């Protein structure tokens, strides 16, 4: 039996009073890669953004239900959002490095946590860039603007930046959809490597990617009412070879979506 | 049937030839283009004309007054018997009122820009931003009387030895006038920072203040600095407020409690006074005008350079 890091209970999100996802019950196992798949508009990203409370930034969003992280309800009354986001990092669809140097991008998280010691920062920057498989490519130009890197490098820099706050979980929202196939492959290799130490939840519309990298797969679908629901969750191999739900089978065999 | 022996293909081919209507259309296009070009050139030619007049009129002045005297003499008394032609007191007066104005407008303008862009709910922003911009629409003569008749008496209660005409009151009022310039342009620069950068910072556990100060502000810095420079240029060129409230006494001082005279106020004084045209005294205003023009030109060019650089940041 896998150890569970994140668990949602009857999670529902409304935008402007209209439900976007409804009644999601999902358990995310520790140090595994869990893929959330489904057609556009099924609420995958909305679900992902519940895990680090990014939906808080959207004034019209209302979250009900519970998300337990290490047994604590993230939507409970005394939860420190800042601490939640440090421990549950996020990588976005489009690489979004700050228009600062490569070094400052990675050092951003530690700096806002109050780390000023240069040697400590140097050490963190190197460790995270190595972990993101970027160190060898950038070690001679750490003080160059991050925007001079290629798209794939920028995305790995964003991963390094997320690792620098020492999170336990990494949320990835279609992290390779803006990248070419070779850069995508590097990101996927990196994810497998990172899964030894981190729990990864990835949203992807690319089923092959989900099949290649993930241990578990959650399939979401929006019905006629355009409200996203979790249809099926299980080990990736089972979802892709012996899906229990007819709709899952239809989706993965490409009959719609 | 002899008249209609042309094949369909021939008719379609003939239609491709330019007929009279097409020719008229082309002439029309040309005329419109010429009109638009002329409209665009009006302001260019006016600017060139102004520069030409300034230079042409300033040349005879500099034939009688050396550039060294003009730039180094600490007294400016062209209208008195004992004539001195040192522009420094006027430059100091302009510098003083502008510095006071910027000392007020930069912090207030920047803070309101940060509030509007990063903190204000959409509804508040929609009301506050235009409201701030209304400040810029008040005629400057109103600001001038406001400074003289309201701000100065108010300040006198706090600073008893404030003169009736003084740089402080004029500068502060001018500062209020240029707050919207800074807040509006800075807010544009802040708001233009992609929201993906804000999300990235929030996702790293940054607070709202950290997002604003460490991510959005640095990313918008060149646009913000450009707004400061444009504001400075505006303050230097501002005429009405300083002519009404700052005085007409060109002394070399940096004491904001004293009456001073700015370059602009001097030009008003001479052009509205009874100084005969064509005299050396009258030509001083062209020399001063040229200096004023160079100041604002340099500042505006600087701001344009900075804004251009800023555009390259996000591709």
């Amino acid at each position: 039996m896998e150890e569970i890091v994140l668990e949602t209970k009857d999670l529902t999100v409304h935008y402007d009073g209209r439900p976007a996802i409804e009644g999601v019950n999902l358990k995310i196992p520790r140090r595994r890669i869990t893929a959330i798949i489904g057609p556009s508009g099924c609420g995958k990203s909305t679900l992902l953004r519940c895990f680090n409370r990014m939906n808080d930034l959207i004034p019209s969003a209302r979250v009900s239900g519970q998300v337990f992280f290490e047994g604590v309800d993230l939507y409970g009354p005394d939860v420190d959002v800042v601490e939640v986001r440090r421990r549950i990092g996020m990588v976005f669809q489009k690489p979004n490095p700050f228009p600062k140097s490569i070094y400052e991008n990675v050092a951003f998280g530690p700096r806002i946590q109050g780390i000023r010691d240069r040697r400590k920062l140097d050490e963190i920057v190197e460790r995270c860039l190595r972990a993101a498989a970027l160190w060898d490519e950038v070690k001679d130009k750490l003080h160059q603007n991050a925007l001079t890197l290629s798209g794939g490098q920028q995305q790995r820099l964003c991963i390094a930046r997320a690792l620098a706050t020492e999170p336990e979980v990494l949320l990835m929202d279609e992290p390779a959809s803006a990248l070419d196939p070779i850069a995508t492959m590097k990101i996927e290799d990196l994810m497998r490597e990172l899964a030894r130490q981190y729990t990864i939840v990835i949203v992807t519309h690319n089923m092959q990617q989900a099949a290649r990298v993930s241990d578990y797969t959650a399939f979401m679908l929006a019905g006629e009412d355009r409200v996203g629901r979790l249809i099926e969750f299980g080990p990736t191999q089972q979802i892709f070879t012996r899906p229990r739900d007819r709709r899952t089978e239809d989706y993965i065999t490409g009959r719609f979506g | 049937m002899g008249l209609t022996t042309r094949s369909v293909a021939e008719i379609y081919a003939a239609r491709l030839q330019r007929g009279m209507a097409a020719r008229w259309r082309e002439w029309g296009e040309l005329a419109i283009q010429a009109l638009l070009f002329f409209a665009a050139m009006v302001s260019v030619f006016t600017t060139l004309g102004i520069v030409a007049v300034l230079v042409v009129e300033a040349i005879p002045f500099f034939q009688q007054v050396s550039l060294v005297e003009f730039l180094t003499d600490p007294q400016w008394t062209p209208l008195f018997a004992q004539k001195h032609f040192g522009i420094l007191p006027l430059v100091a007066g302009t510098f003083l009122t502008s510095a006071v104005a910027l000392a007020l407008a930069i912090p207030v303008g920047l803070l309101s820009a940060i509030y509007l862009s990063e903190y204000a709910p959409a509804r508040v922003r929609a009301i506050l931003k235009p409201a701030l911009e209304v400040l810029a629409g008040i005629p400057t003569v109103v600001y001038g009387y406001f400074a003289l008749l309201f701000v100065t008496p108010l300040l006198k209660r706090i600073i008893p030895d404030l003169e009736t005409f003084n740089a402080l009151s004029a500068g502060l009022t001018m500062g209020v006038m240029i707050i919207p310039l800074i807040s509006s342009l800075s807010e544009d620069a802040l708001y233009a920072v992609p929201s993906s950068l804000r999300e990235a910072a929030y996702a790293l556990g940054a607070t709202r203040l950290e997002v604003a100060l460490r991510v959005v502000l640095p990313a918008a810095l060149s646009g913000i600095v450009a707004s400061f420079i444009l504001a400075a240029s505006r303050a230097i060129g501002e005429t009405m407020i300083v002519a009404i409230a700052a005085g007409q006494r060109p002394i070399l001082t940096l004491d904001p409690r004293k009456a001073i005279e700015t370059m602009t106020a001097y030009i008003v004084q001479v052009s509205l006074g009874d100084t005969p045209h064509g005299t050396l005294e009258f030509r001083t205003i062209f020399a001063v005008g040229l200096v004023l023009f160079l100041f604002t030109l340099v500042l505006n060019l600087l701001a344009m350079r900075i804004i251009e650089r800023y555009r390259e940041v996000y591709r």
Side-chain angles (χ1 to χ4, degrees), chain A residues 49 52 54 57 82 85-86 88-90 92 96-100 105 108-109 111-112 116 147-148 161-162 165, chain B residues 193-208 210-211 213-215 218-220 312-315:
Chain A
R49 285 163 164 263
N52 64 343
M54 283 303 270
L57 302 178
V82 164
R85 294 188 185 139
R86 279 173 194 167
I88 304 178
M90 190 168 211
F92 297 82
N96 55 357
F98 301 127
K100 301 172 188 277
N105 264 278
F108 184 86
R111 273 192 201 281
I112 60 173
R116 295 222 166 69
L147 294 171
T148 59
R161 183 176 66 183
T165 62
Chain B
V193 172
S195 56
S196 64
L197 293 186
R198 292 186 184 86
E199 285 201 319
Y202 279 120
L204 291 166
T207 62
R208 213 169 197 187
E210 285 162 345
V211 172
L213 296 185
R214 294 189 181 221
V215 176
E312 292 169 1
V313 175
Y314 305 105
R315 280 150 294 178

Side-chain angles (χ1 to χ4, degrees), chain A residues 2-255:
Chain A
E2 299 270 14
E3 191 185 343
I4 301 304
V5 179
L6 279 163
E7 180 175 5
T8 71
K9 281 193 177 153
D10 201 23
L11 185 69
T12 298
V13 180
H14 287 82
Y15 292 125
D16 284 322
R18 223 190 69 82
I21 58 171
E22 197 173 71
V24 175
N25 291 293
L26 181 64
K27 290 177 180 173
I28 308 285
R30 189 187 294 279
R31 297 207 181 98
R32 296 286 178 268
I33 299 178
T34 302
I36 304 173
I37 62 169
S40 304
C42 69
K44 325 184 271 290
S45 292
T46 298
L47 173 61
L48 192 74
R49 285 163 164 263
C50 287
F51 292 134
N52 64 343
R53 292 192 46 174
M54 283 303 270
N55 286 327
D56 290 15
L57 302 178
I58 304 166
S60 67
R62 292 281 168 275
V63 178
S64 53
Q66 290 147 318
V67 178
F68 289 100
F69 172 56
E70 310 280 13
V72 176
D73 181 9
L74 294 181
Y75 289 85
D78 291 323
V79 169
D80 179 1
V81 187
V82 164
E83 185 61 22
V84 170
R85 294 188 185 139
R86 279 173 194 167
R87 290 174 60 182
I88 304 178
M90 190 168 211
V91 177
F92 297 82
Q93 184 169 359
K94 222 178 125 226
N96 55 357
F98 301 127
K100 301 172 188 277
S101 71
I102 293 166
Y103 184 98
E104 285 304 325
N105 264 278
V106 183
F108 184 86
R111 273 192 201 281
I112 60 173
Q113 288 179 36
I115 298 174
R116 295 222 166 69
D117 180 37
R118 190 75 196 186
R119 283 222 305 272
K120 185 112 178 37
L121 286 173
D122 288 351
E123 182 267 315
I124 294 171
V125 169
E126 178 171 347
R127 177 166 48 76
C128 295
L129 286 172
R130 280 189 193 281
L134 190 60
W135 175 254
D136 290 334
E137 290 160 64
V138 300
K139 63 178 181 227
D140 300 323
K141 49 178 183 180
L142 290 176
H143 297 284
Q144 213 171 12
N145 193 312
L147 294 171
T148 59
L149 297 176
S150 72
Q153 289 174 323
Q154 287 187 14
Q155 195 61 303
R156 278 179 282 146
L157 177 64
C158 291
I159 292 172
R161 183 176 66 183
L163 296 179
T165 62
E166 301 188 358
E168 289 143 64
V169 180
L170 266 187
L171 307 175
M172 297 184 154
D173 190 355
E174 303 195 23
S177 67
L179 305 180
D180 63 67
I182 291 174
T184 300
M185 202 179 71
K186 281 188 184 167
I187 298 278
E188 289 178 5
D189 290 346
L190 176 59
M191 285 170 61
R192 292 287 358 154
E193 192 60 39
L194 290 171
R196 295 158 181 261
Q197 206 186 331
Y198 303 92
T199 304
I200 295 177
V201 185
I202 175 177
V203 160
T204 178
H205 61 240
N206 180 335
M207 278 182 289
Q208 285 76 31
Q209 184 171 58
R212 278 194 303 264
V213 300
S214 70
D215 304 298
Y216 290 87
T217 296
F219 172 60
M220 289 186 71
L221 186 64
E224 292 288 304
D225 55 1
R226 289 166 56 212
V227 180
R229 290 181 186 83
L230 178 67
I231 302 297
E232 191 169 352
F233 174 74
T236 298
Q237 208 180 355
Q238 181 239 309
I239 294 280
F240 277 87
T241 53
R242 290 170 279 113
R244 283 194 213 101
D245 195 290
R246 180 65 195 270
R247 291 165 293 181
T248 312
E249 189 177 351
D250 285 350
Y251 182 68
I252 59 171
T253 53
R255 239 164 275 171

Side-chain angles (χ1 to χ4, degrees), chain B residues 62 65-72:
Chain B
F62 283 114
V65 177
S66 78
L67 196 61
V68 175
E69 184 193 346
F70 184 66
L71 294 178
T72 58

Side-chain angles (χ1 to χ4, degrees), chain B:
Chain B
M1 298 302 281
L3 285 174
T4 55
T5 49
R6 290 201 300 172
S7 70
V8 173
E10 274 174 331
I11 292 170
Y12 275 103
R15 278 197 194 162
L16 286 174
Q17 304 294 314
R18 287 190 306 167
M20 224 30 218
R23 269 168 224 271
W24 274 112
R25 202 170 58 220
E26 279 164 27
W27 276 106
E29 286 285 329
L30 268 181
I32 295 285
Q33 196 182 333
L35 182 74
L36 296 178
F37 176 76
F38 180 73
M41 283 298 116
V42 167
S43 62
V44 173
F45 283 130
T46 311
T47 311
L48 290 178
I50 290 171
V51 176
V53 169
L54 285 177
V55 172
V56 167
E57 293 284 339
I59 287 169
F61 173 82
F62 283 114
Q63 280 165 349
Q64 291 177 51
V65 177
S66 78
L67 196 61
V68 175
E69 184 193 346
F70 184 66
L71 294 178
T72 58
D73 193 320
Q75 288 186 67
W76 179 260
T77 56
L79 307 179
F80 294 96
Q82 185 68 40
K83 292 188 194 316
H84 286 275
F85 296 96
I87 198 172
L88 283 177
L90 295 182
V91 172
T94 295
F95 173 78
L96 189 57
T97 50
S98 302
V100 170
L102 292 174
L104 173 70
I106 285 182
V108 176
L110 184 58
L111 290 177
S112 38
I114 292 174
Y115 172 73
L116 284 174
S117 166
E118 305 302 310
Y119 284 85
R123 213 173 301 155
V124 176
R125 182 171 178 271
I127 297 167
L128 252 180
K129 204 183 177 201
L132 254 174
E133 279 161 8
V134 165
L135 271 183
I138 298 173
T140 54
V141 65
V142 176
Y143 276 112
Y145 277 103
F146 179 72
L148 183 65
L149 302 176
F150 181 77
V151 180
T152 300
L154 198 70
L155 288 172
K156 266 191 175 170
R157 291 197 203 160
I158 310 162
I159 312 165
D161 54 348
L162 192 71
E163 296 180 10
T164 300
F165 296 100
N166 63 82
L168 183 63
S169 164
L172 288 178
T173 310
M174 196 152 79
V176 172
M177 183 195 72
I178 57 179
I179 284 171
L181 183 72
I182 291 181
S183 67
S184 185
L185 290 176
S186 296
E187 203 265 352
D188 289 344
L190 292 169
Y191 203 67
V193 172
S195 56
S196 64
L197 293 186
R198 292 186 184 86
E199 285 201 319
Y202 279 120
L204 291 166
T207 62
R208 213 169 197 187
L209 187 67
E210 285 162 345
V211 172
L213 296 185
R214 294 189 181 221
V215 176
V216 182
L217 198 67
L221 195 62
S222 37
I224 290 168
V225 171
S227 85
F228 293 170
I229 293 174
L230 286 176
S233 156
R234 180 82 178 77
I236 288 170
E238 170 51 34
T239 308
M240 218 30 148
I241 298 173
V242 287
I244 293 173
Q248 297 189 335
R249 196 175 67 194
I251 53 164
L252 187 55
T253 178
L254 288 177
D255 182 347
R257 292 170 302 179
K258 293 221 159 64
I260 48 92
E261 183 162 44
T262 64
M263 292 189 270
T264 51
Y266 174 77
I267 295 174
V268 171
Q269 184 191 359
V270 172
S271 44
L272 297 183
D274 48 12
T275 313
H277 285 225
T279 58
L280 179 64
E281 292 87 327
F282 193 78
R283 286 203 179 102
T284 54
I285 66 171
F286 294 102
V288 174
L290 193 62
V291 172
L292 192 59
F293 174 78
L294 287 178
F295 268 117
T296 50
L297 179 72
V298 166
L299 286 176
N300 286 339
L301 288 178
L302 199 64
M304 272 162 64
R305 282 288 294 274
I306 291 173
I307 290 172
E308 251 167 54
R309 227 202 68 204
Y310 156 74
R311 282 207 186 110
E312 292 169 1
V313 175
Y314 305 105
R315 280 150 294 178

